[in-house]
Amino acid sequence: MVYTYSVSELCTRIQERITGDVRLHDVWACGELSNVVNHSSGHRYFTLKDSEAQISCVMFKRHAEELDFVLRNGMNVRVFGDVGFYKGRGNVQLQVRSISPDTGIGRSAMELESLRRRLTAEGLFSPERKRPLPRYPERIGIVTSMDGAALRDVIRSLGRYPARIILSPATVQGDAAAQSMISALRALRGRADVIILCRGGGSAEDLSPFNDEHLARAIAESDAPVISAVGHEVDVTVADLVADARASTPTAAAKLAVPDVREIEQLLRNMEDQMTWAIDSHLERIRSRLDYLSRGIEARKMYAILEMRKLRLRDISRRLLDAERSIVDSRARRLEIARARLDSASPLAVLSRGYTMVVGSAGVVCHAVDLAVGEEIRLVFSDGEACCNVNKIEIKPR
């Protein structure tokens, strides 16, 4: 019979095997620090890695208090401790009792620093190269994963702003992520006014695609300004540095890309109030001026003022006459058009072309069968009428 372990029993056996192996106690290891967390509890959490592998580490408060330097990502260190197993999460971890700096900085940190220096020398990080974001974008491109929370955060934060959202999906984690994001950026060429490149938080390894040189150059070559929003990581990525703007989170990127709709509405209300105030103030100044003039006119100035007013009145009269002629001409043209339309629909227009209208006792006669022999009828012409009696009726066969 095969015995089936519960998860707790299996983890206990693994823990017993690891803790019972003397070769996993009092071990020394060297590598590069990554994902360093100096917790408020006093514990230190970090990853120790080299070019081929990594292991999670913890240094509890009683040992961390003896540190005489600050742990930072990218440092080369030597650590001493025991390999342990955390049952709660099923993780193997190195429980560090002491740690000391090793010579130099880590390989990945050196490569990243070299890339930053090279791109800085080329001017890719220069503030003068960065483009201003459009004030009211009509098309917003988003480069991110279809399945991530970042996409939902961006769309929710854009809210009621009336822009067209163009999603260019990309992988944002893993070995293929950099090339995927480059393709997504190029797919938006000529289609967006601003582009948001984003993903949620993650470890330094998770965010390593955003330190890719080719991605940095693709961002710089984009025809639209790019906002980089790479999670909650404290370290700044190369994508953040080369982008035209940087936001701490995808939500912040969406708010940076578009103006606040409520602010626009308030701005319009303020402009309306200012225009109303300006018009009222102008009218009040005119009224005050008229009151002043009406009170301040003296007899000896009357003729000069009157002459000026006459000239002004003549000018106004001329303008009014010109305006009146313009209005009359416009109305005349409209009346002529209406008259032509009315005439074209009038029966009199038909009579003027030589036709005659027959009117009997029951009204206008349209068919011969509607007449009776001996009936008195009227023939209506365009210039008069004639009274007749019907002597004979001939019906044309159909």
Side-chain angles (χ1 to χ4, degrees):
M1 179 178 178
V2 178
Y3 180 76
T4 303
Y5 292 98
S6 68
V7 175
S8 299
E9 291 173 335
L10 182 60
C11 288
T12 298
R13 294 204 63 174
I14 296 173
Q15 185 180 44
E16 290 173 350
R17 178 61 62 90
I18 291 176
T19 56
D21 190 340
V22 295
R23 294 171 299 178
L24 299 179
H25 290 271
D26 298 332
V27 297
W28 286 93
C30 64
E32 180 182 346
L33 290 180
S34 177
N35 302 319
V36 175
V37 176
N38 297 311
H39 201 271
S40 58
S41 64
H43 305 323
R44 303 288 190 271
Y45 300 94
F46 53 90
T47 299
L48 190 66
K49 67 177 184 178
D50 59 18
S51 60
E52 299 181 356
Q54 62 183 29
I55 186 171
S56 298
C57 303
V58 59
M59 190 175 197
F60 296 116
K61 179 180 179 181
R62 63 180 182 277
H63 300 300
E65 290 176 342
E66 300 176 2
L67 286 174
D68 56 358
F69 65 97
V70 178
L71 303 183
R72 293 188 179 88
N73 290 332
M75 293 179 62
N76 268 357
V77 296
R78 298 178 70 248
V79 301
F80 175 76
D82 306 316
V83 178
F85 183 77
Y86 181 42
K87 287 176 55 177
R89 294 183 179 175
N91 292 340
V92 175
Q93 61 182 11
L94 184 59
Q95 298 174 356
V96 178
R97 299 202 299 274
S98 68
I99 183 170
S100 61
D102 205 354
T103 304
I105 61 174
R107 179 184 58 83
S108 59
M110 290 178 62
E111 292 175 352
L112 179 58
E113 183 60 28
S114 174
L115 174 61
R116 288 184 176 181
R117 285 198 298 268
R118 188 164 67 254
L119 296 182
T120 299
E122 294 182 23
L124 263 67
F125 300 159
S126 173
E128 291 76 15
R129 187 199 63 79
K130 298 181 185 296
R131 295 158 293 187
L133 302 181
R135 186 71 180 94
Y136 301 104
E138 298 179 3
R139 303 169 300 171
I140 301 175
I142 304 176
V143 176
T144 190
S145 170
M146 288 283 290
D147 304 322
L151 176 60
R152 295 191 296 273
D153 292 342
V154 170
I155 292 177
R156 183 177 60 253
S157 299
L158 290 176
R160 297 184 294 122
Y161 184 78
R164 179 186 176 193
I165 306 302
I166 305 173
L167 176 61
S168 189
T171 301
V172 294
Q173 185 170 326
D175 295 338
Q179 185 56 49
S180 177
M181 288 186 285
I182 291 171
S183 299
L185 282 169
R186 290 173 178 170
L188 289 173
R189 179 170 292 276
R191 301 174 58 199
D193 300 319
V194 65
I195 299 173
I196 298 175
L197 173 66
C198 63
R199 65 152 287 161
S203 65
E205 284 72 25
D206 294 337
L207 304 183
S208 60
F210 292 87
N211 289 320
D212 182 83
E213 178 178 357
H214 300 292
L215 176 61
R217 298 190 184 279
I219 293 173
E221 294 168 1
S222 171
D223 63 343
V226 178
I227 302 174
S228 174
V230 186
H232 306 277
E233 182 70 19
V234 175
D235 293 337
V236 179
T237 66
V238 172
D240 292 327
L241 295 173
V242 74
D244 299 282
R246 183 202 176 204
S248 58
T249 65
T251 297
K255 294 180 178 179
L256 185 62
V258 299
D260 191 320
V261 174
R262 290 172 296 183
E263 291 182 359
I264 295 176
E265 292 172 345
Q266 184 60 48
L267 176 62
L268 291 175
R269 286 193 292 268
N270 292 341
M271 292 175 64
E272 182 182 9
D273 293 341
Q274 291 175 2
M275 291 174 64
T276 302
W277 177 84
I279 293 172
D280 290 343
S281 299
H282 182 65
L283 292 175
E284 183 60 31
R285 286 195 298 272
I286 292 175
R287 284 192 291 266
S288 299
R289 178 64 175 168
L290 289 174
D291 291 342
Y292 169 77
L293 292 175
S294 63
R295 293 192 304 267
I297 293 178
E298 300 177 3
R300 54 193 175 89
K301 297 180 180 179
M302 183 65 69
Y303 292 106
I305 294 175
L306 183 60
E307 188 62 29
M308 291 170 54
R309 294 297 184 267
K310 286 180 180 179
L311 294 175
R312 177 63 175 167
L313 182 60
R314 281 196 293 269
D315 182 58
I316 293 174
S317 298
R318 181 181 55 78
R319 293 184 185 180
L320 288 174
L321 288 173
D322 292 343
E324 182 182 5
R325 291 193 199 97
S326 176
I327 294 172
V328 169
D329 291 344
S330 175
R331 295 293 189 272
R333 287 192 296 271
R334 291 174 59 184
L335 181 60
E336 188 62 31
I337 293 172
R339 182 183 294 111
R341 291 178 179 174
L342 184 61
D343 287 344
S344 65
S346 172
L348 296 178
V350 178
L351 296 180
S352 65
R353 295 198 294 271
Y355 292 93
T356 303
M357 182 171 62
V358 180
V359 180
S361 58
V364 177
V365 179
C366 297
H367 305 283
V369 295
D370 296 331
L371 294 172
V373 176
E375 180 180 357
E376 183 176 325
I377 60 173
R378 288 185 299 120
L379 301 180
V380 180
F381 301 90
S382 62
D383 58 349
E385 297 181 0
C387 293
C388 306
N389 288 321
V390 178
N391 296 324
K392 182 180 178 181
I393 300 175
E394 292 184 0
I395 306 296
K396 293 181 180 180
R398 294 186 179 181

